[in-house]
Amino acid sequence: MSPSLNLGILAHVDAGKTSLTERLLYDAGELDAVGSVDAGTTRTDSMDVERRRGITVRSAVASYVADDPGGTVVNIVDTPGHPDFIAEVERALAILDGAVLVLSAVEGVQPQTVVIWRALRRLDVPTLLFINKTDRRGADPERVRADIRRRLPGSEETPVLAGSALTGDGVAKLAAAITSELPSSPPNVEAEPAGVVFKIERDDRGKRVFVRMRSGSLAVRDRLQLTGRSRERVTGLQVSTGGGLAPAKRAVGGQIAVLRGLDAARIGDSFGPGQVEVDGFVPPTLQAVVVPATPHERGAVYAALTELAEQDPLIALRTTGDEIAVSLFGEVQKEVIASLLQEWYGLAVTFRETTVVCIERVRGTGQALEQIKVDENPYLGTVGLRIEPAPVGSGIRFELEVERGAMPPAFFAATEEGVRKALEQGRHGWQVTDCVVTMTDSGYWARQSHAHQKFNKAFSSVAGDFRNLGQVVVTAALRQAGTTVCEPVDRIDLEVPTTVLGAVLALLGRLGGVVLTTHPGDGVTRLEGDLPATQIRALTSQLPDLTGGEAVLANRLDHYAPVTTEPPVRRRVGPDPADRRRWFREMPR
């Protein structure tokens, strides 16, 4: 059995990585003709939106057999280059043996090139650099080589090759370097089966789970224990080979396999010894409400988005009343999601304006109590709750100050469910977090009925009493405690030409940014600092003109800080538990 090499092809958008993938497959005899990104005929860009825009949205896998003594099977993972899909790149990096970072011989080192290079260095992925498009007018490989040494620290260590994916010039040397310079994975069948889920797709037969096998052997009918999930049986298995995905009796360590039957699988799940974290990327701080073209299709849109969220966990689907919101990294994702809904599900949608997602934190301590049949309470339950602040990052904790035996466990669980539901919308409409909610009082009417009759919930407590009452009580306690609206603050890593440093610092000041450190370099200065996420779009729109397109910006959520101006209010959706009488009147038991 041949060794495997899982290879990432990465680049700034339009540097030619998908074209390079096509050329490597063609030269190895896996394609009859080189596909065109412009014509939408490439193997790895299979979605309509990818072909229409000429960009890669989802990581794709294609394979070829290398011309080396071992007959190494090279599994190419073609990754997105657009900044909106950096999370997809990060997931792919976790399963790679090595990478090729592609640069344009005309544009040279571009902002996303630097971001990807830093990620490769952080994860210690062995990397080759390939200067592409040497056939284009204005190409200057030597200038780009100097640019690489100056702007990509550590690049002087793996080789820099040059050529053209379009003409094939220099690609043979790159193919040879891939197998000679990058580490491959020999077949490993003796150890316990272990692997990690890095991609999920759906087709007309159901879920397809892409797994990087790290060790051992896996066959159809084997049972897998995925992280934190029940055991499931593998009902179908394919491995990535030189001819593409092919049915196989088993998959072994080093290979990429596609499994069926794992209905509960999620991206990031792993099995076997040595857990692997795939999706450690900081979640997005933008969101937009999805509006179905036809209101009665809301349920279908929600179901479709739920499936899409399986394939991209950072979509983070949220529902509030009749609204459906999805998390975003940028505006291009809106088009992609809309295209997927139309292409795969026949559903047309639009989006409302993208907004930054704030949170609310509890300011003080608040307490409230509702008792059975007291002061218009229609619910057969007594609930007392206290809410108070908790350490930043601790989330929501639900604790008991009453005896656990004071009520059936289901009533405590229903109260907690109601509390968490209510805290999805605080007094300003944002999610409340970092707090402790303690149940201080409880009471219920035991199960009873008229003589010789079945159970009657009219005079017997049910879980719904506590689920609904919990929302009313915690909302009242929260009103007493008060909340502070906090906005997301990104940690920015910004590299700019030193000649425009003063202008950039002035811009950051106007946008409310705080510079923490500066690192002068060879003609460039690297800044680290904080900037409210609401200002990231303004920064990215002004930097190109200010820096002649030379700025490199990486940003990720760092913390939330209190809003110093008038706090933004998010429109409440659905009934408000603060309107106690209306809630009691309209919410069913």
Side-chain angles (χ1 to χ4, degrees):
M1 189 173 292
S2 301
S4 299
L5 196 165
N6 296 309
L7 177 73
I9 306 288
L10 306 106
H12 184 101
V13 66
D14 289 335
K17 58 184 175 46
T18 299
S19 298
L20 179 60
T21 298
E22 290 288 308
R23 175 60 64 175
L24 288 169
L25 294 172
Y26 174 76
D27 286 356
E30 302 300 338
L31 296 178
D32 294 331
V34 177
S36 166
V37 173
D38 294 335
T41 56
T42 61
R43 174 180 288 190
T44 52
D45 285 347
S46 58
M47 297 192 300
D48 283 351
V49 67
E50 293 179 310
R51 291 168 172 165
R52 184 171 64 252
R53 288 189 60 108
I55 62 173
T56 300
V57 170
R58 297 283 170 85
S59 296
V61 179
S63 304
Y64 70 88
V65 178
D67 184 19
D68 67 339
T72 302
V73 176
V74 180
N75 301 313
I76 300 178
V77 182
D78 184 21
T79 62
H82 195 283
D84 280 12
F85 307 101
I86 186 63
E88 186 81 8
V89 176
E90 291 262 340
R91 283 196 290 270
L93 294 184
I95 60 99
L96 299 181
D97 296 310
V100 174
L101 179 58
V102 184
L103 304 92
S104 167
V106 178
E107 288 81 11
V109 177
Q110 296 172 277
Q112 190 73 350
T113 314
V114 179
V115 172
I116 294 172
W117 175 255
R118 291 173 183 169
L120 289 166
R121 297 290 288 177
R122 185 177 72 250
L123 296 174
D124 198 26
V125 179
T127 304
L128 301 174
L129 292 99
F130 183 72
I131 302 173
N132 191 27
K133 301 187 177 183
T134 55
D135 58 309
R136 279 183 52 190
R137 179 178 297 178
D140 188 346
E142 292 310 311
R143 173 182 56 79
V144 176
R145 288 178 192 272
D147 206 20
I148 288 171
R149 301 306 185 213
R150 180 173 60 88
R151 300 184 63 184
L152 304 183
S155 59
E156 64 280 357
E157 300 171 7
T158 61
V160 177
L161 299 98
S164 168
L166 184 63
T167 66
D169 180 50
V171 176
K173 290 183 178 179
L174 174 64
I178 286 171
T179 52
S180 65
E181 301 291 337
L182 300 179
S184 58
S185 302
N188 181 354
V189 298
E190 302 301 326
E192 183 179 346
V196 60
V197 176
F198 70 95
K199 178 181 173 69
I200 288 178
E201 289 182 349
R202 281 186 176 269
D203 59 17
D204 54 5
R205 293 176 53 199
K207 184 180 289 188
R208 305 169 72 219
V209 179
F210 286 70
V211 170
R212 159 68 193 270
M213 291 292 296
R214 293 188 289 113
S215 65
S217 174
L218 187 64
V220 174
R221 301 190 64 79
D222 284 353
R223 287 188 174 274
L224 284 184
Q225 176 70 62
L226 294 172
T227 314
R229 310 194 189 281
S230 59
R231 291 175 66 84
E232 293 188 290
R233 189 185 298 276
V234 177
T235 61
L237 189 153
Q238 294 175 299
V239 297
S240 189
T241 68
L245 288 173
K249 293 182 178 179
R250 62 181 60 249
V252 301
Q255 291 184 321
I256 288 179
V258 179
L259 309 179
R260 292 190 183 270
L262 307 183
D263 292 336
R266 298 290 184 271
I267 290 176
D269 285 352
S270 60
F271 58 91
Q275 302 297 311
V276 175
E277 179 68 33
V278 169
D279 193 7
F281 199 74
V282 176
T285 55
L286 302 177
Q287 73 168 20
V289 171
V290 185
V291 182
T294 306
H296 75 264
E297 290 183 334
R298 179 186 179 279
V301 169
Y302 178 78
L305 286 170
T306 299
E307 288 191 0
L308 292 181
E310 282 185 338
Q311 302 171 37
D312 185 354
L314 292 178
I315 284 180
L317 181 65
R318 294 180 63 249
T319 59
T320 308
D322 292 332
E323 289 189 342
I324 306 171
V326 294
S327 298
L328 302 167
F329 279 106
E331 293 298 307
V332 174
Q333 282 182 289
K334 284 184 178 180
E335 180 184 346
V336 170
I337 292 172
S339 177
L340 293 178
L341 289 173
Q342 182 69 64
E343 178 183 344
W344 293 355
Y345 304 96
L347 298 168
V349 301
T350 57
F351 290 86
R352 291 186 188 157
E353 183 180 0
T354 300
T355 59
V356 170
V357 180
C358 296
I359 62 170
E360 294 181 46
R361 289 200 174 107
V362 179
R363 279 205 303 264
T365 299
Q367 192 158 333
L369 171 68
E370 290 285 349
Q371 295 178 294
I372 296 177
K373 294 299 184 181
V374 173
D375 193 17
E376 301 180 340
N377 176 12
Y379 298 114
L380 302 185
T382 292
V383 172
L385 296 171
R386 182 177 66 248
I387 189 168
E388 51 199 331
V392 171
S394 61
I396 299 171
R397 297 205 318 270
F398 182 77
E399 298 181 351
L400 298 180
E401 230 173 52
V402 297
E403 293 292 334
R404 289 190 175 275
M407 291 196 309
F411 293 173
F412 287 120
T415 303
E416 180 177 0
E417 183 181 341
V419 165
R420 292 184 179 275
K421 179 66 176 176
L423 294 182
E424 289 179 0
Q425 298 185 90
R427 302 315 308 148
H428 298 272
W430 305 104
Q431 184 175 17
V432 181
T433 188
D434 299 338
C435 61
V436 178
V437 179
T438 304
M439 193 166 189
T440 57
D441 291 273
S442 67
Y444 74 107
W445 281 5
R447 184 183 180 94
Q448 50 190 313
S449 64
H450 293 293
H452 310 297
Q453 292 185 359
K454 293 182 178 180
F455 166 74
N456 188 337
K457 70 176 184 179
F459 50 94
S460 301
S461 299
V462 295
D465 291 321
F466 293 89
R467 188 176 299 111
N468 287 330
L469 198 56
Q471 296 184 60
V472 173
V473 177
V474 78
T475 300
L478 188 65
R479 183 169 61 244
Q480 186 183 102
T483 63
T484 299
V485 176
C486 298
E487 63 180 345
V489 177
D490 281 9
R491 177 60 50 87
I492 61 170
D493 189 326
L494 178 60
E495 185 180 284
V496 299
T498 302
T499 54
V500 297
L501 178 59
V504 171
L505 290 174
L507 171 62
L508 289 173
R510 290 194 299 272
L511 297 178
V514 176
V515 176
L516 302 176
T517 61
T518 60
H519 307 277
D522 183 12
V524 298
T525 299
R526 186 173 174 183
L527 310 172
E528 290 181 306
D530 291 339
L531 184 69
T534 53
Q535 301 297 338
I536 291 295
R537 190 183 303 181
L539 178 63
T540 56
S541 66
Q542 296 181 56
L543 276 178
D545 288 342
L546 197 61
T547 66
E550 291 295 310
V552 175
L553 173 66
N555 61 288
R556 56 195 294 150
L557 175 64
D558 185 72
H559 64 279
Y560 285 84
V563 174
T564 56
T565 57
E566 184 70 20
V569 175
R570 186 186 188 194
R571 184 175 66 88
R572 170 171 286 278
V573 178
D576 187 352
D579 190 346
R580 178 178 177 275
R581 290 188 176 181
R582 185 175 179 183
W583 180 274
F584 285 167
R585 184 172 64 250
E586 297 181 0
M587 292 298 289
R589 281 191 60 207

